[in-house]
Amino acid sequence: MSMPETAPKTVVGEPLLLIREFSRLSRLSQKALRLYDALGLLEPSLIDPSNGYRYYRSDQLQRASRISVLRQLEMPLQRIAEVLELEGTAAAAAVAVYWHEIETQHHEKRGLVQYLIQVFEDKELPMFEILTRQVPAQKIASINGRVFQPQIASFIGQSMNQLYSSLGQAGVTPVGAPFVAYYGKVDADSDGPLEVCVAFTGSLEPSENIVIRIEPAHQEAYVVCPKGLVKSLPDLLHAYDAVAKWLHDNNKHNHLPCREVYFGDWDNIGDQDPAFDIAYPYTDQA
Amino acid sequence: MSMPETAPKTVVGEPLLLIREFSRLSRLSQKALRLYDALGLLEPSLIDPSNGYRYYRSDQLQRASRISVLRQLEMPLQRIAEVLELEGTAAAAAVAVYWHEIETQHHEKRGLVQYLIQVFEDKELPMFEILTRQVPAQKIASINGRVFQPQIASFIGQSMNQLYSSLGQAGVTPVGAPFVAYYGKVDADSDGPLEVCVAFTGSLEPSENIVIRIEPAHQEAYVVCPKGLVKSLPDLLHAYDAVAKWLHDNNKHNHLPCREVYFGDWDNIGDQDPAFDIAYPYTDQA
DNA sequence: TTGCTCCTCACGTCACGTGAGGTGGC
DNA sequence: TTGCTCCTCACGTCACGTGAGGTGGC
């Protein structure tokens, strides 16, 4: 006594939901549901082999709801899949980690907004004193990296530690202050590249990730910044702008990546103490 | 005495920048620059007609920088173009408006995160008392709309005003409390649809945006909510979940859009006072 | 038998990234 | 002449939206 083919599909007495109904109840679009099926993120509990109809159980609504909320947080589908692999508390923790990243980025953006609004309003800015200096050709040891904004501080710290310990092991003397050269934007979406550099005298072999190269002699314009400036993104950007403006006003041309020179004893000084330079190498216009 | 063809392009003595150099200085990718050119957002000041080479002036770096920052704020290119059409203060205001939208969405998301984490941790929730009632078939006047989350409150308010004034002008008596039926998700990316409804007796002609229809008789399960609940998105979502869970536990099936019934005198009550119901119409499982 | 619902392509959107394949300038 | 830089397609990415064209179930 087989069921007639036209009977509505059921599991243990509970009727299965067609995609339209499941879409309505979950508030996920049919297109989204088909995509989640294809990706294995939310598969119908039954697919009719003869016509491909998708049938969902109503208890799948819980997973659907969680996916929906995570998507509202703009979490990528791949990451959602990972979160939903986890148990209760671990899943909650994974969400918290994700959200912390988002909060960090949001904070950054607030600084950018402040900066932008000041730029558009053409605010009088605290005068920056622009200095220039001649930098001789130097042999440097450097570590190149591509990192996004949240990791930048730890990347710089670790790289400097590695550079100094390599120099130390080789019995080689560092010269002057370490600096970081920026070859590209570093933010939540762009990962540089950037280069953490220490000049030295003597001879050192390059290692797996340490490059030895000559930084050519050049002029550079710079501003001396207090340690606390790194805490204020808008002010930091204004300082960059001030140096760039000086180059433009004085008909100079930036030809090497701009850099931050960390001359201060970072851990033992206050926010008001001078700690680093923002420097733009330049040539006179060709 | 024309210049030889191979001379570097210049304007009034200042050399023009090729795309690679402009890309380096602006920290915008070449691909992005070509796109902005195609869209008219940032056009090179000169394009060599013979080979299509793009040449930029260095003073275009300011516009490039602003575009870059606005993109870091995830502003769409179209909107960036609109902002850059504006003058200083107006542009600053446009950025502030945009940012306010982002802040609003961010706030919403914080509520979602709280809710989600509680869901994953399977927190004991304040018990909601689920009630049921029989709702008779009613004639209703309604306004359908598609709005995103930020506009939802004003849309509901305006629609209710319009409905009540139309009823008033027609000398028709409203019956019971107005309600809002949700046919789809309403958030920053999804715009419902939703329907603002008032039941009435008598006869009323439909107008441009007012639909007259019969809401069928049904059972519904509901929770009574204090006014202040709307301020706490996580608690609001838990309340929805509580009703949905009741339906599931009692083997009921939601067949009509869920709704919020606004019976309270909204402007003259406190946050603790009961103000609205969250209701799910249901049938017994077929 | 008529609609309504479901299905699977296929193409569009947004802001690019990433080659492929070809020309041009020093 | 050799590379290096520039160019224009064209396709990929991400998470869908929006038809087109066709089948199936009540």
Side-chain angles (χ1 to χ4, degrees):
Chain A
M1 263 181 76
S2 66
M3 298 283 283
E5 300 243 17
T6 56
K9 315 263 177 180
T10 63
V11 237
V12 289
E14 193 183 1
L16 287 169
L17 304 170
L18 279 167
I19 199 167
R20 183 175 159 79
E21 188 64 359
F22 194 77
S23 167
R24 185 178 73 79
L25 293 169
S26 66
R27 302 185 183 291
L28 291 168
S29 73
Q30 297 190 22
K31 176 69 187 184
L33 288 173
R34 293 194 181 102
L35 178 65
Y36 301 164
D37 175 11
L39 298 177
L41 181 59
L42 178 62
E43 291 174 68
S45 67
L46 189 155
I47 295 182
D48 187 321
S50 73
N51 57 17
Y53 275 34
R54 293 173 178 80
Y55 292 89
Y56 295 86
R57 284 194 316 267
S58 62
D59 62 13
Q60 295 188 278
L61 285 169
Q62 193 194 55
R63 187 174 175 95
S65 160
R66 290 171 180 189
I67 293 173
S68 173
V69 176
L70 287 166
R71 281 299 300 145
Q72 289 176 57
L73 301 178
E74 291 171 272
M75 186 182 284
L77 293 177
Q78 176 57 47
R79 191 154 178 184
I80 291 178
E82 290 161 23
V83 169
L84 295 183
E85 280 298 298
L86 273 38
E87 304 297 309
T89 305
V95 172
V97 166
Y98 170 75
W99 187 245
H100 185 253
E101 295 171 20
I102 301 293
E103 285 285 0
T104 303
Q105 292 171 23
H106 190 74
H107 242 83
E108 276 283 306
K109 291 181 187 171
R110 277 203 189 123
L112 291 176
V113 169
Q114 268 191 59
Y115 161 76
L116 243 193
I117 288 182
Q118 287 166 11
V119 163
F120 278 125
E121 289 183 341
D122 209 15
K123 274 266 172 56
E124 295 298 314
L125 294 170
M127 285 296 288
F128 290 96
E129 189 188 2
I130 312 295
L131 305 170
T132 64
R133 63 186 161 208
Q134 174 69 35
V135 180
Q138 303 180 101
K139 191 155 41 165
I140 62 173
S142 76
I143 294 176
N144 286 278
R146 301 195 75 104
V147 290
F148 295 97
Q149 205 282 329
Q151 282 78 45
I152 190 169
S154 73
F155 174 76
I156 292 175
Q158 285 171 25
S159 300
M160 285 196 186
N161 285 342
Q162 200 197 327
L163 287 169
Y164 277 104
S165 77
S166 294
L167 290 178
Q169 281 170 27
V172 155
T173 324
V175 175
F179 62 93
V180 178
Y182 293 92
Y183 293 84
K185 200 160 37 177
V186 176
D187 63 21
D189 303 313
S190 316
D191 57 351
L194 57 94
E195 186 185 20
V196 181
C197 307
V198 178
F200 67 97
T201 54
S203 99
L204 179 65
E205 286 303 302
S207 72
E208 180 142 19
N209 62 342
I210 297 182
V211 171
I212 312 295
R213 64 174 187 83
I214 301 294
E215 175 75 358
H218 61 268
Q219 290 277 126
E220 62 188 34
Y222 64 101
V223 277
V224 181
C225 303
K227 178 182 167 187
L229 199 71
V230 296
K231 292 182 192 162
S232 171
L233 184 57
D235 293 333
L236 193 66
L237 294 173
H238 284 307
Y240 268 92
D241 283 355
V243 189
K245 182 177 186 308
W246 183 93
L247 290 196
H248 183 260
D249 292 347
N250 291 273
N251 208 31
K252 308 298 187 191
H253 181 66
N254 164 245
H255 64 305
L256 292 171
C258 61
R259 55 207 58 201
E260 294 175 357
V261 183
Y262 297 94
F263 59 80
D265 181 8
W266 203 266
D267 297 326
N268 300 311
I269 59 176
D271 278 355
Q272 308 303 317
D273 296 320
F276 67 102
D277 300 325
I278 293 172
Y280 276 73
Y282 66 82
T283 57
D284 294 299
Q285 295 281 16
Chain B
M1 268 182 73
S2 65
M3 298 283 281
E5 300 244 14
T6 56
K9 315 265 176 179
T10 64
V11 239
V12 290
E14 191 183 3
L16 288 169
L17 305 169
L18 279 167
I19 199 166
R20 183 175 159 79
E21 188 63 0
F22 193 77
S23 166
R24 186 179 71 81
L25 293 169
S26 64
R27 301 183 185 291
L28 290 168
S29 73
Q30 297 190 24
K31 175 70 187 183
L33 288 173
R34 294 194 180 102
L35 177 65
Y36 301 165
D37 175 12
L39 297 178
L41 181 58
L42 178 63
E43 291 174 67
S45 67
L46 190 155
I47 296 181
D48 187 321
S50 73
N51 57 19
Y53 275 36
R54 294 172 178 81
Y55 292 90
Y56 294 86
R57 285 193 316 266
S58 62
D59 62 13
Q60 296 187 278
L61 284 169
Q62 192 194 56
R63 187 175 175 93
S65 160
R66 290 171 181 188
I67 293 172
S68 173
V69 176
L70 288 166
R71 281 300 300 145
Q72 289 178 56
L73 301 178
E74 292 172 272
M75 186 183 284
L77 293 177
Q78 177 57 47
R79 192 153 179 185
I80 291 178
E82 290 161 22
V83 169
L84 295 183
E85 280 298 297
L86 273 36
E87 304 297 310
T89 306
V95 172
V97 166
Y98 171 74
W99 187 246
H100 184 253
E101 294 172 20
I102 302 294
E103 284 285 2
T104 304
Q105 292 172 24
H106 189 74
H107 242 84
E108 276 283 306
K109 290 180 186 172
R110 277 202 190 124
L112 291 176
V113 170
Q114 268 192 58
Y115 161 75
L116 244 193
I117 288 181
Q118 287 165 12
V119 163
F120 277 125
E121 290 184 341
D122 209 16
K123 274 266 172 55
E124 295 298 312
L125 294 168
M127 285 297 288
F128 291 96
E129 190 187 1
I130 311 295
L131 306 171
T132 64
R133 63 187 161 207
Q134 174 70 34
V135 181
Q138 303 180 103
K139 190 155 41 167
I140 62 172
S142 76
I143 294 176
N144 285 279
R146 302 195 75 104
V147 291
F148 295 96
Q149 205 282 331
Q151 282 78 45
I152 190 169
S154 73
F155 174 77
I156 292 176
Q158 285 170 25
S159 299
M160 283 196 186
N161 284 342
Q162 199 197 328
L163 288 169
Y164 278 104
S165 78
S166 295
L167 291 178
Q169 281 169 29
V172 155
T173 323
V175 174
F179 62 94
V180 178
Y182 294 92
Y183 293 84
K185 199 159 40 175
V186 176
D187 64 21
D189 303 313
S190 317
D191 57 349
L194 56 93
E195 185 183 20
V196 181
C197 306
V198 178
F200 66 97
T201 55
S203 99
L204 179 67
E205 286 301 302
S207 73
E208 181 142 16
N209 63 342
I210 297 182
V211 171
I212 312 295
R213 64 174 187 82
I214 302 295
E215 175 75 359
H218 61 268
Q219 291 278 125
E220 63 188 33
Y222 64 101
V223 275
V224 181
C225 303
K227 178 182 167 188
L229 200 71
V230 296
K231 293 183 191 160
S232 170
L233 184 55
D235 293 334
L236 193 65
L237 294 174
H238 284 307
Y240 268 92
D241 282 355
V243 188
K245 181 176 187 309
W246 183 93
L247 290 197
H248 183 260
D249 291 348
N250 290 274
N251 208 30
K252 308 299 188 190
H253 181 65
N254 163 244
H255 64 305
L256 292 171
C258 61
R259 54 207 58 201
E260 292 175 359
V261 184
Y262 297 95
F263 59 80
D265 180 8
W266 204 266
D267 298 326
N268 301 311
I269 59 176
D271 277 356
Q272 307 303 319
D273 296 319
F276 67 101
D277 300 325
I278 293 171
Y280 276 74
Y282 66 83
T283 57
D284 293 299
Q285 295 279 18

